[in-house]
Amino acid sequence: MTGTKRTSEELLQELETLRKKVEDLEQNSRTVQFWEERYRELAEFTPQIVFEMDRKGRFTFFNRHITTFFGYDQEDIRKGLMGWEVVIPEDRARVKREIELVLKGKSKARGTETALVKKDGTSLPVSLFASPIVSAQGIVGLRGIGVDISRQKEVEKELRESEARYRSIVEHTHDGICILDEKARVIYLNDEICRI
């Protein structure tokens, strides 16, 4: 056995240093636990969808909004529910690619629009936002929110229908219609004014 013999004083000092390190680690652990509980509490009470996924794209957490409104629960997480499995079929490949880019650190999903499928088979349009979860080991997953945009989609549909009705009236009237912009430039002429 090589090395030097340590005195009892040196051993006690080393033991005190180790005790201090353990104490610091325990304090850090309590701090992390405190903030983790705060995050979960906030996530549970927000009216938006909040979720986390691991490096493979499996859900590891979602808030009660997903549970109560979409019907998914902790059992679905235990079974390995993948993020793209709750997306409408026609968007699954695109959303899967976007999740993979976030998990590689190459992108942040900024307002990706799709529709999520509820457990009963109905769907709801949402805008998804996500960013990587980074730890000392690198990217370990992603965290995101989903915003219900069903009202926005209804308004857009009503606007399109209103515009179509307006265009139909303008195109089929016997009056000539000319629309000018703020600089008196012609931006629209209907067929009747052209005929006149």
Side-chain angles (χ1 to χ4, degrees), residues 52-56 102-103 131-134 138-143:
E52 290 181 354
M53 293 178 193
D54 65 13
R55 292 261 322 143
K56 294 182 179 177
V102 172
L103 289 170
S131 63
I133 301 171
V134 181
I139 296 173
V140 295
L142 68 79
R143 179 176 293 130

mmCIF file of all heavy atoms in Angstrom, residues 52-56 102-103 131-134 138-143:
data_model
loop_
_atom_site.group_PDB
_atom_site.id
_atom_site.type_symbol
_atom_site.label_atom_id
_atom_site.label_comp_id
_atom_site.label_asym_id
_atom_site.label_seq_id
_atom_site.Cartn_x
_atom_site.Cartn_y
_atom_site.Cartn_z
ATOM 1 N N GLU A 52 -44.979 17.504 -20.926
ATOM 2 C CA GLU A 52 -43.552 17.218 -21.054
ATOM 3 C C GLU A 52 -43.407 15.869 -21.729
ATOM 4 O O GLU A 52 -44.269 14.998 -21.581
ATOM 5 C CB GLU A 52 -42.866 17.187 -19.686
ATOM 6 C CG GLU A 52 -42.755 18.535 -19.036
ATOM 7 C CD GLU A 52 -42.042 18.495 -17.695
ATOM 8 O OE1 GLU A 52 -41.722 17.391 -17.197
ATOM 9 O OE2 GLU A 52 -41.807 19.580 -17.143
ATOM 10 N N MET A 53 -42.312 15.727 -22.483
ATOM 11 C CA MET A 53 -42.009 14.460 -23.154
ATOM 12 C C MET A 53 -40.562 14.106 -22.900
ATOM 13 O O MET A 53 -39.728 14.987 -22.667
ATOM 14 C CB MET A 53 -42.220 14.591 -24.664
ATOM 15 C CG MET A 53 -43.628 14.797 -25.075
ATOM 16 S SD MET A 53 -43.702 15.004 -26.874
ATOM 17 C CE MET A 53 -45.355 15.611 -27.033
ATOM 18 N N ASP A 54 -40.257 12.803 -22.993
ATOM 19 C CA ASP A 54 -38.870 12.374 -22.864
ATOM 20 C C ASP A 54 -38.177 12.453 -24.222
ATOM 21 O O ASP A 54 -38.757 12.943 -25.203
ATOM 22 C CB ASP A 54 -38.789 10.967 -22.257
ATOM 23 C CG ASP A 54 -39.386 9.875 -23.144
ATOM 24 O OD1 ASP A 54 -39.659 10.113 -24.346
ATOM 25 O OD2 ASP A 54 -39.586 8.760 -22.629
ATOM 26 N N ARG A 55 -36.939 11.977 -24.312
ATOM 27 C CA ARG A 55 -36.148 12.060 -25.553
ATOM 28 C C ARG A 55 -36.761 11.266 -26.708
ATOM 29 O O ARG A 55 -36.446 11.517 -27.863
ATOM 30 C CB ARG A 55 -34.723 11.535 -25.316
ATOM 31 C CG ARG A 55 -33.896 12.373 -24.427
ATOM 32 C CD ARG A 55 -32.944 13.313 -25.069
ATOM 33 N NE ARG A 55 -32.268 12.845 -26.247
ATOM 34 C CZ ARG A 55 -32.005 13.635 -27.274
ATOM 35 N NH1 ARG A 55 -32.363 14.886 -27.267
ATOM 36 N NH2 ARG A 55 -31.357 13.179 -28.316
ATOM 37 N N LYS A 56 -37.626 10.319 -26.409
ATOM 38 C CA LYS A 56 -38.236 9.514 -27.475
ATOM 39 C C LYS A 56 -39.564 10.089 -27.942
ATOM 40 O O LYS A 56 -40.152 9.588 -28.878
ATOM 41 C CB LYS A 56 -38.419 8.074 -27.000
ATOM 42 C CG LYS A 56 -37.089 7.377 -26.770
ATOM 43 C CD LYS A 56 -37.294 5.959 -26.343
ATOM 44 C CE LYS A 56 -35.934 5.303 -26.156
ATOM 45 N NZ LYS A 56 -36.032 3.940 -25.673
ATOM 46 N N VAL A 102 -37.096 19.613 -32.113
ATOM 47 C CA VAL A 102 -36.982 20.233 -30.787
ATOM 48 C C VAL A 102 -36.083 19.374 -29.903
ATOM 49 O O VAL A 102 -35.203 19.891 -29.203
ATOM 50 C CB VAL A 102 -38.370 20.433 -30.127
ATOM 51 C CG1 VAL A 102 -38.221 20.881 -28.673
ATOM 52 C CG2 VAL A 102 -39.197 21.456 -30.907
ATOM 53 N N LEU A 103 -36.267 18.061 -29.940
ATOM 54 C CA LEU A 103 -35.475 17.160 -29.107
ATOM 55 C C LEU A 103 -34.003 17.123 -29.513
ATOM 56 O O LEU A 103 -33.146 16.788 -28.708
ATOM 57 C CB LEU A 103 -36.072 15.753 -29.129
ATOM 58 C CG LEU A 103 -37.395 15.613 -28.391
ATOM 59 C CD1 LEU A 103 -38.038 14.261 -28.672
ATOM 60 C CD2 LEU A 103 -37.199 15.808 -26.889
ATOM 61 N N SER A 131 -40.199 23.724 -26.176
ATOM 62 C CA SER A 131 -38.757 23.967 -26.162
ATOM 63 C C SER A 131 -38.089 22.805 -25.439
ATOM 64 O O SER A 131 -38.725 22.102 -24.648
ATOM 65 C CB SER A 131 -38.431 25.299 -25.486
ATOM 66 O OG SER A 131 -38.827 25.284 -24.144
ATOM 67 N N PRO A 132 -36.801 22.595 -25.711
ATOM 68 C CA PRO A 132 -36.108 21.471 -25.089
ATOM 69 C C PRO A 132 -35.934 21.665 -23.584
ATOM 70 O O PRO A 132 -35.811 22.787 -23.107
ATOM 71 C CB PRO A 132 -34.743 21.447 -25.779
ATOM 72 C CG PRO A 132 -34.663 22.632 -26.654
ATOM 73 C CD PRO A 132 -35.956 23.339 -26.634
ATOM 74 N N ILE A 133 -35.923 20.557 -22.852
ATOM 75 C CA ILE A 133 -35.559 20.557 -21.440
ATOM 76 C C ILE A 133 -34.082 20.193 -21.400
ATOM 77 O O ILE A 133 -33.699 19.108 -21.831
ATOM 78 C CB ILE A 133 -36.376 19.531 -20.626
ATOM 79 C CG1 ILE A 133 -37.871 19.821 -20.727
ATOM 80 C CG2 ILE A 133 -35.921 19.512 -19.175
ATOM 81 C CD1 ILE A 133 -38.753 18.734 -20.122
ATOM 82 N N VAL A 134 -33.279 21.111 -20.905
ATOM 83 C CA VAL A 134 -31.837 20.911 -20.907
ATOM 84 C C VAL A 134 -31.345 20.710 -19.478
ATOM 85 O O VAL A 134 -31.737 21.443 -18.571
ATOM 86 C CB VAL A 134 -31.120 22.131 -21.541
ATOM 87 C CG1 VAL A 134 -29.616 21.917 -21.571
ATOM 88 C CG2 VAL A 134 -31.648 22.384 -22.941
ATOM 89 N N GLY A 138 -27.396 17.311 -21.149
ATOM 90 C CA GLY A 138 -27.848 17.771 -22.459
ATOM 91 C C GLY A 138 -29.363 17.826 -22.504
ATOM 92 O O GLY A 138 -30.030 17.970 -21.489
ATOM 93 N N ILE A 139 -29.911 17.665 -23.700
ATOM 94 C CA ILE A 139 -31.369 17.699 -23.868
ATOM 95 C C ILE A 139 -31.942 16.372 -23.383
ATOM 96 O O ILE A 139 -31.560 15.315 -23.867
ATOM 97 C CB ILE A 139 -31.754 17.970 -25.333
ATOM 98 C CG1 ILE A 139 -31.260 19.353 -25.748
ATOM 99 C CG2 ILE A 139 -33.261 17.849 -25.526
ATOM 100 C CD1 ILE A 139 -31.431 19.666 -27.214
ATOM 101 N N VAL A 140 -32.853 16.445 -22.419
ATOM 102 C CA VAL A 140 -33.441 15.233 -21.841
ATOM 103 C C VAL A 140 -34.911 15.077 -22.202
ATOM 104 O O VAL A 140 -35.541 14.089 -21.837
ATOM 105 C CB VAL A 140 -33.254 15.196 -20.301
ATOM 106 C CG1 VAL A 140 -31.794 15.089 -19.941
ATOM 107 C CG2 VAL A 140 -33.903 16.396 -19.638
ATOM 108 N N GLY A 141 -35.478 16.055 -22.893
ATOM 109 C CA GLY A 141 -36.878 15.987 -23.275
ATOM 110 C C GLY A 141 -37.347 17.332 -23.774
ATOM 111 O O GLY A 141 -36.539 18.185 -24.147
ATOM 112 N N LEU A 142 -38.655 17.509 -23.808
ATOM 113 C CA LEU A 142 -39.199 18.809 -24.186
ATOM 114 C C LEU A 142 -40.377 19.136 -23.301
ATOM 115 O O LEU A 142 -41.004 18.272 -22.714
ATOM 116 C CB LEU A 142 -39.563 18.881 -25.667
ATOM 117 C CG LEU A 142 -40.719 18.067 -26.236
ATOM 118 C CD1 LEU A 142 -42.067 18.699 -25.940
ATOM 119 C CD2 LEU A 142 -40.567 17.951 -27.731
ATOM 120 N N ARG A 143 -40.641 20.430 -23.205
ATOM 121 C CA ARG A 143 -41.743 20.947 -22.391
ATOM 122 C C ARG A 143 -42.528 21.890 -23.280
ATOM 123 O O ARG A 143 -41.947 22.661 -24.042
ATOM 124 C CB ARG A 143 -41.159 21.688 -21.193
ATOM 125 C CG ARG A 143 -42.162 22.313 -20.270
ATOM 126 C CD ARG A 143 -41.470 22.949 -19.059
ATOM 127 N NE ARG A 143 -40.874 21.905 -18.229
ATOM 128 C CZ ARG A 143 -39.606 21.930 -17.792
ATOM 129 N NH1 ARG A 143 -38.818 22.921 -18.111
ATOM 130 N NH2 ARG A 143 -39.141 20.952 -17.037
#
